[in-house]
Amino acid sequence: MAPSYKAVVDKARQAFRDGRTRDIEFRRQQLNQLRKMYVENEKTFLEALKSDLRKPHLEAVIFETDFMLKDLDYILSRLDDWVKTKEVPSVVPEDKSYIYHDPYGVVLVMGAWNYPAQLTLIPAAGAIACGNAVVMKPSEVSPATAKVIETLVPKYLDNDCYPVVCGGIPETTELLKERFDYIFYTGSTGVGKIVRDAANKYLTPTTLELGGKSPCYVDSTADMDIAVRRILWGKMFNLGQTCIAPDFVLCNKEVQDTFVQKAKEVLKEWYGDNPAQSPDLCRIVAERHVDRLAGYLNDGKVVVGGKVDKNDKWIEPTILTDVSADSKIMQEEIFGPILPILNVKSHKDVINFVNDREKPLSMYLFSNNDAEVEDILRNVSCGGVTVNDTLHHAASKSSNLRNAQ
Ligand code: NAD
């Protein structure tokens, strides 16, 4: 049976009530310790990421270790401004009104396995900067990285204020019985509902960073070389296991033929005749996910790739055509290197296709027809969009700029 985490949460709450985590110099010192942890242990993180997902060095640096470091530097550079009490106009002219930035209390951060270091540590750093105590729960599906977080965090950070809890479903179920003041969860929609149910008991404010199906649209005005390269880059990063990865392509039949031909050339140029030997492609995180993905190969005609090696947790970069909108692959987030192509006749079909389904996390439009791009943007609601590229909007500084204003 999983242990109770009452003592862990009580200790963190006591530390919060003592006022320790609110103190700005304490926050800064702890954030600097976190920074030191990243710098002194980059190699350890990279080895763990290799062990969990066989992440290529460059991907692991760009989207994990360097990403965490840059985020922390940004937090440290903005901290004084963020915590400043701000005077605002009062209704009664003689009064003075202020906005105080108050921490929530004890925050639970639950990370997912696909970017297993940063998805736990970046939200934790934000919560520390805001003056909270933080309980970190890395994903058990990426055990090597979870172990690194569990081992290193107590060596660098205050042990009462910032505990790490490891474990699978039984442990997380037990942990969620505790009362938190904020929950920051990253993961699938299914577990998001479990987290939301647990939070409901105390009306705990919750952030749910979930997944979804992110469509690409390629029209006949698009630069096909750019479209193919950028869609495949976004899809093959982390072998498709990215929340905002291009999930499927919508295009007309002629565009599809050119896309498939070009994709064959590009994949060969990047990964050679045997992509399984390429050092630039990582692996599927677990055998059960290989089985899930292999099942999708029957949902269309395999025109590129299609090889599966369960022992190596490998699915080859694959393109499917003749895919029905009702097939299983079109009902679930793919989260792997399989790219289905479905045919549409016009950009209006794209608007209807997307609006008939759950709102996408991201959308990627490849077109040089500005009026039609604008029409799609005005008529479709989704988390974020990049035009003529993929993934990039997620790294844009827009949210930082908003904070700075
Ligand atoms: P996962 O299996 O690692 O689960 C996420 C967390 O939930 C883990 O900490 C895990 O221990 C916990 N958990 C799992 N099952 C549970 C249960 N039954 N009860 C309580 N806790 C449980 O990750 P996953 O869910 O496979 O993650 C992949 C999903 O995450 C994808 O859908 C992806 O799109 C999404 N994601 C979203 C973002 C974002 O920023 N929006 C980022 C990365 C991943």
Side-chain angles (χ1 to χ4, degrees), residues 124-295:
I128 294 170
C130 294
N132 300 286
V134 187
V135 178
M136 289 168 237
K137 163 64 187 68
S139 173
E140 73 282 8
V141 184
S142 42
T145 311
K147 188 79 202 156
V148 169
I149 294 173
E150 186 186 29
T151 309
L152 291 181
V153 167
K155 288 187 186 161
Y156 286 84
L157 298 190
D158 184 290
N159 285 216
D160 296 344
C161 306
Y162 311 117
V164 178
V165 169
C166 280
I169 295 176
E171 288 76 13
T172 319
T173 305
E174 229 16 69
L175 184 63
L176 284 168
K177 288 181 185 164
E178 297 304 320
R179 180 171 189 162
F180 293 94
D181 302 297
Y182 198 101
I183 300 176
F184 191 104
Y185 164 81
T186 305
S188 61
T189 309
V191 179
K193 289 178 184 168
I194 295 173
V195 172
R196 173 65 69 84
D197 282 347
N200 269 352
K201 184 171 176 199
Y202 301 110
L203 294 178
T204 307
T206 306
T207 296
L208 300 176
E209 288 280 356
L210 309 176
K213 288 184 85 63
S214 299
C216 301
Y217 173 50
V218 186
D219 76 10
S220 54
T221 70
D223 179 323
M224 285 306 288
D225 192 54
I226 285 179
V228 169
R229 284 174 187 276
R230 292 180 181 176
I231 291 172
L232 290 178
W233 171 76
K235 184 73 171 179
M236 298 314 155
F237 208 95
N238 216 30
L239 208 61
Q241 301 162 109
T242 302
C243 54
I244 54 166
D247 192 273
F248 59 94
V249 171
L250 298 172
C251 62
N252 68 30
K253 190 79 182 58
E254 292 70 44
V255 170
Q256 172 183 300
D257 293 345
T258 317
F259 189 98
V260 170
Q261 188 47 44
K262 249 211 166 324
K264 285 181 186 164
E265 293 162 22
V266 168
L267 290 171
K268 189 167 174 178
E269 177 194 324
W270 287 352
Y271 308 126
D273 287 324
N274 184 2
Q277 299 292 328
S278 167
D280 299 323
L281 289 167
C282 79
R283 288 302 182 263
I284 300 301
V285 73
E287 287 184 5
R288 73 185 158 93
H289 284 289
V290 177
D291 287 338
R292 178 181 63 79
L293 289 161

Side-chain angles (χ1 to χ4, degrees), residues 21-22 27 31 79 82-83 101-104 125-132:
T21 62
R22 285 177 181 263
R27 298 186 207 182
L31 292 167
L79 186 63
W82 286 343
V83 299
H101 298 284
D102 212 23
Y104 278 95
I128 294 170
C130 294
N132 300 286

Side-chain angles (χ1 to χ4, degrees), residues 211-217 230-232 234-236 240-250 259 292-293 296 318-320 323 327-342 353 357 360-364 366 390-391:
K213 288 184 85 63
S214 299
C216 301
Y217 173 50
R230 292 180 181 176
I231 291 172
L232 290 178
K235 184 73 171 179
M236 298 314 155
Q241 301 162 109
T242 302
C243 54
I244 54 166
D247 192 273
F248 59 94
V249 171
L250 298 172
F259 189 98
R292 178 181 63 79
L293 289 161
Y296 294 148
T318 296
I319 297 180
L320 299 181
V323 176
S327 59
K328 192 141 192 263
I329 195 171
M330 290 308 295
Q331 310 310 312
E332 301 164 354
E333 181 183 12
I334 298 171
F335 228 52
I338 305 174
L339 186 69
I341 302 182
L342 286 87
F353 190 97
R357 291 164 175 77
L361 198 53
S362 295
M363 185 170 64
Y364 304 112
F366 288 83
T390 59
L391 310 191

Side-chain angles (χ1 to χ4, degrees), residues 293-305:
L293 289 161
Y296 294 148
L297 297 177
N298 302 319
D299 286 348
K301 182 173 156 199
V302 176
V303 290
V304 177

Side-chain angles (χ1 to χ4, degrees), residues 352-372:
N352 290 331
F353 190 97
V354 176
N355 285 339
D356 282 347
R357 291 164 175 77
E358 293 293 326
K359 282 185 188 173
L361 198 53
S362 295
M363 185 170 64
Y364 304 112
L365 307 174
F366 288 83
S367 170
N368 283 307
N369 186 328
D370 292 349
E372 291 192 359

